């Protein structure tokens, strides 16, 4: 007499023991060794985005490299093309392509990117 034991493959089985009389079949389940995998753990999501760095105002000694380029004027709240700069005594002056006269560099802040009012 031949006996065949078929185990369903969808079961997670570690061992099967059959007694000699073939009347009792013991199926021992596999130990759960794998907990939550690291890839399944959700990452912490902050409600705030990464803090943006505040733009830095252009310094007087940097003006030469920006002549002829558009820069953001916080006083006028618009983009302007820097036309020139000069220093006479203690007076630091700049001019833009849209005006004919000189204005004080110390009265305004100039940036390479647009600045919102509350970001200063």
């Amino acid at each position: 007499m031949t006996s065949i034991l078929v185990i369903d493959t969808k079961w997670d089985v570690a061992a099967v023991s059959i007694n000699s009389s073939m009347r009792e079949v013991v199926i021992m389940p596999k130990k759960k060794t794998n907990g939550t995998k690291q890839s399944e753990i959700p990452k912490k999501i902050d409600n705030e985005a990464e803090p943006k760095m505040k733009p830095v105002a252009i310094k007087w000694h940097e003006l030469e490299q920006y002549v002829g380029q558009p820069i953001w004027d916080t006083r006028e709240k618009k983009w302007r093309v820097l036309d020139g700069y000069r220093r006479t005594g203690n007076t630091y002056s700049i001019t833009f392509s849209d005006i004919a006269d000189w204005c004080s560099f110390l009265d305004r802040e100039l940036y390479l990117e647009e600045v919102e009012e509350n970001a200063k």
Side-chain angles (χ1 to χ4, degrees), residues 11 14 20 23 25 41 48-49 55 65 73 75-76 85-86 88 91 97 102 105 113 116 120:
W11 288 15
S20 60
R23 291 179 187 240
V25 177
I41 298 174
E48 298 176 12
Q65 62 188 356
D73 184 358
R75 185 172 176 192
E76 300 293 326
Y85 66 100
R86 70 177 178 192
T88 309
T91 305
S97 60
W102 294 86
F105 173 75
E113 57 189 71
E116 295 177 15
K120 285 191 210 176

CSV table of all heavy atoms in Angstrom, one decimal, residues 11 14 20 23 25 41 48-49 55 65 73 75-76 85-86 88 91 97 102 105 113 116 120:
chain,number,residue,atom,x,y,z
A,11,TRP,N,0.4,27.2,1.9
A,11,TRP,CA,0.7,27.2,3.3
A,11,TRP,C,2.1,27.5,3.6
A,11,TRP,O,3.0,27.1,2.8
A,11,TRP,CB,0.3,25.9,4.0
A,11,TRP,CG,-1.2,25.6,4.0
A,11,TRP,CD1,-2.2,26.3,3.4
A,11,TRP,CD2,-1.8,24.6,4.8
A,11,TRP,NE1,-3.4,25.8,3.7
A,11,TRP,CE2,-3.2,24.8,4.6
A,11,TRP,CE3,-1.4,23.7,5.7
A,11,TRP,CZ2,-4.1,24.0,5.2
A,11,TRP,CZ3,-2.3,22.9,6.3
A,11,TRP,CH2,-3.7,23.0,6.1
A,14,ALA,N,6.8,24.7,8.0
A,14,ALA,CA,8.2,24.4,8.3
A,14,ALA,C,8.4,22.9,8.3
A,14,ALA,O,9.5,22.4,7.9
A,14,ALA,CB,8.6,25.0,9.6
A,20,SER,N,3.3,6.7,12.6
A,20,SER,CA,3.5,5.4,11.9
A,20,SER,C,2.1,4.8,11.5
A,20,SER,O,2.0,4.1,10.5
A,20,SER,CB,4.2,4.4,12.7
A,20,SER,OG,3.6,4.2,13.9
A,23,ARG,N,-2.6,7.9,11.0
A,23,ARG,CA,-3.8,8.5,11.5
A,23,ARG,C,-3.7,9.9,11.9
A,23,ARG,O,-4.7,10.6,12.0
A,23,ARG,CB,-4.4,7.6,12.6
A,23,ARG,CG,-4.8,6.3,12.2
A,23,ARG,CD,-5.2,5.5,13.4
A,23,ARG,NE,-5.5,4.1,12.9
A,23,ARG,CZ,-6.6,3.5,13.0
A,23,ARG,NH1,-7.7,4.1,13.5
A,23,ARG,NH2,-6.8,2.3,12.6
A,25,VAL,N,-1.7,13.6,11.4
A,25,VAL,CA,-0.7,14.4,10.6
A,25,VAL,C,-0.6,15.7,11.4
A,25,VAL,O,-1.6,16.4,11.6
A,25,VAL,CB,-1.2,14.7,9.2
A,25,VAL,CG1,-0.3,15.6,8.4
A,25,VAL,CG2,-1.4,13.4,8.4
A,41,ILE,N,8.3,50.8,6.0
A,41,ILE,CA,8.0,51.8,7.0
A,41,ILE,C,7.9,53.1,6.3
A,41,ILE,O,8.8,53.6,5.6
A,41,ILE,CB,9.1,51.8,8.1
A,41,ILE,CG1,9.2,50.4,8.8
A,41,ILE,CG2,8.9,52.9,9.1
A,41,ILE,CD1,10.4,50.3,9.7
A,48,GLU,N,6.1,71.2,6.7
A,48,GLU,CA,6.8,72.3,6.1
A,48,GLU,C,7.8,71.8,5.1
A,48,GLU,O,8.4,70.8,5.3
A,48,GLU,CB,7.5,73.1,7.2
A,48,GLU,CG,6.7,73.7,8.3
A,48,GLU,CD,7.5,74.3,9.4
A,48,GLU,OE1,8.7,74.5,9.2
A,48,GLU,OE2,6.9,74.6,10.4
A,49,ALA,N,7.9,72.5,4.0
A,49,ALA,CA,8.9,72.2,3.0
A,49,ALA,C,10.3,72.6,3.6
A,49,ALA,O,10.4,73.3,4.6
A,49,ALA,CB,8.6,72.9,1.7
A,55,PRO,N,17.6,85.2,0.0
A,55,PRO,CA,18.5,85.8,-1.0
A,55,PRO,C,19.4,86.9,-0.3
A,55,PRO,O,19.0,87.5,0.7
A,55,PRO,CB,17.7,86.5,-2.0
A,55,PRO,CG,16.3,86.3,-1.6
A,55,PRO,CD,16.2,85.5,-0.4
A,65,GLN,N,30.3,93.4,-11.7
A,65,GLN,CA,30.0,92.3,-12.5
A,65,GLN,C,28.5,92.2,-13.0
A,65,GLN,O,28.1,91.4,-13.8
A,65,GLN,CB,30.3,91.0,-11.8
A,65,GLN,CG,29.6,90.8,-10.5
A,65,GLN,CD,30.1,89.6,-9.7
A,65,GLN,OE1,31.0,88.9,-10.1
A,65,GLN,NE2,29.6,89.4,-8.5
A,73,ASP,N,15.1,95.3,-7.8
A,73,ASP,CA,15.1,96.5,-7.0
A,73,ASP,C,14.0,96.4,-6.0
A,73,ASP,O,12.8,96.5,-6.4
A,73,ASP,CB,15.0,97.8,-7.8
A,73,ASP,CG,15.1,99.1,-7.1
A,73,ASP,OD1,15.3,99.0,-5.8
A,73,ASP,OD2,15.1,100.2,-7.7
A,75,ARG,N,13.1,98.5,-3.6
A,75,ARG,CA,12.4,99.8,-3.4
A,75,ARG,C,11.3,100.0,-4.4
A,75,ARG,O,10.2,100.4,-4.1
A,75,ARG,CB,13.4,100.9,-3.4
A,75,ARG,CG,12.8,102.2,-3.1
A,75,ARG,CD,13.8,103.3,-2.9
A,75,ARG,NE,13.2,104.6,-2.6
A,75,ARG,CZ,13.8,105.7,-2.7
A,75,ARG,NH1,15.1,105.7,-2.9
A,75,ARG,NH2,13.2,106.8,-2.4
A,76,GLU,N,11.6,99.8,-5.7
A,76,GLU,CA,10.7,99.9,-6.8
A,76,GLU,C,9.8,98.7,-7.0
A,76,GLU,O,8.8,98.7,-7.7
A,76,GLU,CB,11.4,100.3,-8.1
A,76,GLU,CG,12.2,101.6,-8.0
A,76,GLU,CD,11.3,102.8,-7.8
A,76,GLU,OE1,10.2,102.9,-8.4
A,76,GLU,OE2,11.7,103.8,-7.1
A,85,TYR,N,27.6,102.6,-11.9
A,85,TYR,CA,27.7,103.0,-10.5
A,85,TYR,C,28.9,103.9,-10.3
A,85,TYR,O,29.8,103.9,-11.1
A,85,TYR,CB,27.9,101.7,-9.6
A,85,TYR,CG,29.1,100.9,-9.9
A,85,TYR,CD1,30.2,101.1,-9.0
A,85,TYR,CD2,29.3,100.1,-11.0
A,85,TYR,CE1,31.4,100.4,-9.3
A,85,TYR,CE2,30.4,99.4,-11.2
A,85,TYR,CZ,31.5,99.6,-10.3
A,85,TYR,OH,32.7,98.9,-10.6
A,86,ARG,N,28.9,104.7,-9.3
A,86,ARG,CA,30.0,105.6,-9.0
A,86,ARG,C,30.0,106.0,-7.5
A,86,ARG,O,29.0,105.9,-6.8
A,86,ARG,CB,29.9,106.9,-9.8
A,86,ARG,CG,28.8,107.8,-9.4
A,86,ARG,CD,28.8,109.1,-10.3
A,86,ARG,NE,27.7,109.9,-9.8
A,86,ARG,CZ,27.3,110.9,-10.5
A,86,ARG,NH1,27.9,111.3,-11.6
A,86,ARG,NH2,26.2,111.6,-10.1
A,88,THR,N,31.4,109.1,-5.0
A,88,THR,CA,32.0,110.4,-4.9
A,88,THR,C,32.1,110.7,-3.4
A,88,THR,O,31.0,111.0,-2.8
A,88,THR,CB,31.1,111.4,-5.7
A,88,THR,OG1,30.9,111.0,-7.0
A,88,THR,CG2,31.8,112.8,-5.7
A,91,THR,N,29.4,109.3,-1.0
A,91,THR,CA,28.2,109.1,-1.7
A,91,THR,C,28.3,107.9,-2.7
A,91,THR,O,29.2,107.9,-3.5
A,91,THR,CB,27.8,110.3,-2.5
A,91,THR,OG1,27.7,111.4,-1.6
A,91,THR,CG2,26.4,110.1,-3.1
A,97,SER,N,19.0,101.7,-16.5
A,97,SER,CA,18.7,102.0,-17.9
A,97,SER,C,17.4,102.7,-18.1
A,97,SER,O,17.2,103.4,-19.1
A,97,SER,CB,18.8,100.7,-18.8
A,97,SER,OG,17.8,99.8,-18.4
A,102,TRP,N,21.1,109.7,-11.3
A,102,TRP,CA,21.7,108.8,-10.3
A,102,TRP,C,20.9,108.7,-9.0
A,102,TRP,O,20.3,109.7,-8.6
A,102,TRP,CB,23.2,109.3,-10.0
A,102,TRP,CG,24.1,109.2,-11.2
A,102,TRP,CD1,24.2,110.2,-12.1
A,102,TRP,CD2,24.9,108.1,-11.5
A,102,TRP,NE1,25.1,109.8,-13.1
A,102,TRP,CE2,25.6,108.5,-12.7
A,102,TRP,CE3,25.2,106.9,-11.0
A,102,TRP,CZ2,26.5,107.7,-13.3
A,102,TRP,CZ3,26.2,106.1,-11.6
A,102,TRP,CH2,26.8,106.5,-12.8
A,105,PHE,N,22.7,104.3,-3.7
A,105,PHE,CA,22.8,102.8,-3.5
A,105,PHE,C,22.4,102.4,-2.1
A,105,PHE,O,21.8,101.3,-1.9
A,105,PHE,CB,24.2,102.3,-3.8
A,105,PHE,CG,24.5,100.9,-3.5
A,105,PHE,CD1,24.0,99.9,-4.3
A,105,PHE,CD2,25.2,100.5,-2.3
A,105,PHE,CE1,24.2,98.6,-4.1
A,105,PHE,CE2,25.4,99.1,-2.1
A,105,PHE,CZ,24.9,98.2,-2.9
A,113,GLU,N,17.6,87.8,-7.6
A,113,GLU,CA,16.3,87.1,-7.8
A,113,GLU,C,15.2,87.9,-7.1
A,113,GLU,O,15.5,88.7,-6.2
A,113,GLU,CB,16.4,85.7,-7.2
A,113,GLU,CG,16.8,85.6,-5.8
A,113,GLU,CD,17.0,84.2,-5.3
A,113,GLU,OE1,18.0,83.6,-5.7
A,113,GLU,OE2,16.1,83.7,-4.6
A,116,GLU,N,10.3,88.5,-2.1
A,116,GLU,CA,9.0,88.9,-1.6
A,116,GLU,C,9.2,89.8,-0.4
A,116,GLU,O,10.2,89.8,0.3
A,116,GLU,CB,8.2,87.6,-1.1
A,116,GLU,CG,7.9,86.7,-2.2
A,116,GLU,CD,7.2,85.4,-1.7
A,116,GLU,OE1,6.8,85.4,-0.6
A,116,GLU,OE2,7.1,84.5,-2.5
A,120,LYS,N,12.6,89.5,3.5
A,120,LYS,CA,13.8,90.3,3.9
A,120,LYS,C,14.3,90.0,5.2
A,120,LYS,O,13.9,89.9,6.2
A,120,LYS,CB,13.5,91.8,3.8
A,120,LYS,CG,13.4,92.3,2.5
A,120,LYS,CD,13.3,93.8,2.6
A,120,LYS,CE,12.5,94.5,1.5
A,120,LYS,NZ,12.4,95.9,1.6
